[in-house]
Amino acid sequence: MQMLGMGQAVNQALREEMQRDSRIFLAGEGIGVGIHDSPMMPTYGLLEAFGPERVKDTPVSEAAIAGLAVGAAAGGLRPVVEVMFNPFFTLASDMIVNHAAKLRYLSGGKTSFPLVVRIKSGAGFGAGCQHSHNLEAWVAHCPGLKVVMPATPADAKGLLKSAIRDDNPVVFIEDMGLYFAPAEVPEGDYSIPIGKADIKRPGTDVTLVTWSKMLGVAMQAADQLAREGVDVEVVDLRTLTPLDTETILSSVRKTGRLVVLHEANRTGGFGGEIAALVMEQAFDALKAPLRRVTGPDIPVPASPPLERFYIPDAGQVIAAIKELL
């Protein structure tokens, strides 16, 4: 094992995959310089290692970056592009949603469109609502796109390798707060299947479903409740689409209770999709109404105290679980 932050794990995955396959190239705003010029960031050192033909700094135009990816994928390359922050996906959405997501279907499955769109997400940096709005539910609503949101450096490396090797477009969302939180990452080449959740903590009293940075909050709440005799099963989705419904339903049928935790605001959040799944397919197993713990329906504040109010914490999760018990 090696100790890496998520940014370093992503960097390692990109480096190893680019060494493996010469068709892979990177493109994005400042990926060779600027904020990426730090050992903790995902593209650090890759320009020097692979040159400007395969690591392309682009103009500040998310639509152009996405269009470059779609055209390159259609031409037989395997682009990995970055559109910076999650809200900026709106600027790239025409190319990703109306073209990348649909072209394989429109070809009758005769062509493949292997591309990865990397996005930074998450509040906690005082960057304000135009940089911190989590839009994973928007992306997951689009058929033809796979949506991956890892919560650990080890998962990030293995899932990014799978995303790059996939013949379909994958939106890979990385919470910036995890870039600077080192954890164990296996050495060498490995991959993790897209569409498979992971039970990070087994339990019998309540199922707590989450993804991305909120896994840390979930584990903190579960550890505290364990000291009070409550056994929480923590399910890390890792992938939103395709969704591992089997793992969710199996856990809920075992515990009889469900809490869904995500940082994105409540209305229209992906937690509602999980709630509907359980109500439709495991209602008979529920011992109590399910609960959602989410960000509030407001723009993400830039003020640090208000931002801390916005982000769900372990206390809110514990309160929701105690309601169910």
Side-chain angles (χ1 to χ4, degrees):
M1 290 288 183
Q2 51 190 333
M3 296 297 292
L4 301 176
M6 183 176 285
Q8 293 170 305
V10 167
N11 182 289
Q12 198 169 89
L14 292 171
R15 186 181 297 270
E16 291 175 7
E17 289 302 292
M18 293 178 75
Q19 290 169 342
R20 182 187 61 83
D21 189 339
S22 62
R23 296 173 296 171
I24 298 168
F25 73 92
L26 313 181
E29 300 165 12
I31 62 171
V33 293
I35 66 168
H36 296 272
D37 193 21
S38 162
M40 301 298 288
M41 299 302 281
T43 57
Y44 177 76
L46 297 181
L47 176 61
E48 290 77 13
F50 297 98
E53 289 189 357
R54 297 184 66 193
V55 180
K56 298 182 177 295
D57 272 320
T58 67
V60 182
S61 174
E62 288 77 12
I65 297 168
L68 167 66
V70 173
L77 299 177
R78 304 186 79 89
V80 181
V81 300
E82 181 182 325
V83 295
M84 282 286 192
F85 299 98
N86 210 327
F88 298 177
F89 180 83
T90 58
L91 300 166
S93 60
D94 177 56
M95 281 293 170
I96 302 302
V97 173
N98 285 327
H99 297 277
K102 297 179 172 69
L103 288 175
R104 192 168 195 184
Y105 167 78
L106 291 172
S107 74
K110 295 178 181 178
T111 56
S112 61
F113 290 88
L115 65 91
V116 177
V117 181
R118 291 183 44 249
I119 300 174
K120 295 181 177 69
S121 74
F125 297 91
C129 53
Q130 293 177 318
H131 294 77
S132 302
H133 189 185
N134 289 298
L135 297 176
E136 67 265 23
W138 283 25
V139 189
H141 188 65
C142 180
L145 295 179
K146 298 184 179 183
V147 182
V148 178
M149 292 191 72
T152 70
D155 286 349
K157 180 179 177 180
L159 286 165
L160 182 55
K161 282 176 168 281
S162 293
I164 293 171
R165 298 172 188 181
D166 201 299
D167 285 333
N168 300 282
V170 180
V171 178
F172 195 90
I173 304 175
E174 307 154 13
D175 193 295
M176 284 189 64
L178 300 173
Y179 282 177
F180 312 103
E184 290 187 340
V185 177
E187 295 183 356
D189 182 36
Y190 69 93
S191 61
I192 295 173
I194 291 175
K196 183 62 178 174
D198 187 35
I199 297 177
K200 290 293 197 290
R201 188 185 193 281
T204 57
D205 292 330
V206 59
T207 297
L208 178 54
V209 175
T210 190
W211 54 92
S212 192
K213 183 174 64 186
M214 287 295 101
L215 174 64
V217 175
M219 296 297 283
Q220 182 182 350
D223 289 344
Q224 183 170 330
L225 285 167
R227 293 191 287 270
E228 302 177 27
V230 179
D231 196 15
V232 179
E233 179 151 293
V234 178
V235 178
D236 176 13
L237 290 184
R238 303 196 293 194
T239 303
L240 302 190
T241 54
L243 180 64
D244 185 356
T245 59
E246 181 180 347
T247 295
I248 297 169
L249 294 172
S250 175
S251 179
V252 171
R253 291 189 179 111
K254 177 176 66 173
T255 67
R257 300 176 179 89
L258 172 66
V259 174
V260 184
L261 167 64
H262 59 74
E263 184 180 291
N265 60 292
R266 182 184 182 90
T267 301
F270 197 76
E273 188 65 28
I274 298 167
L277 167 72
V278 171
M279 292 297 289
E280 290 170 352
Q281 299 191 36
F283 178 76
D284 57 331
L286 290 175
K287 302 173 183 176
L290 54 84
R291 291 286 185 269
R292 285 182 288 166
V293 179
T294 72
D297 285 324
I298 59 173
V300 182
S303 160
L306 292 177
E307 196 173 34
R308 286 194 294 273
F309 163 79
Y310 179 92
I311 301 171
D313 60 27
Q316 293 170 270
V317 176
I318 291 169
I321 290 175
K322 287 184 174 181
E323 285 182 14
L324 299 189
L325 299 170

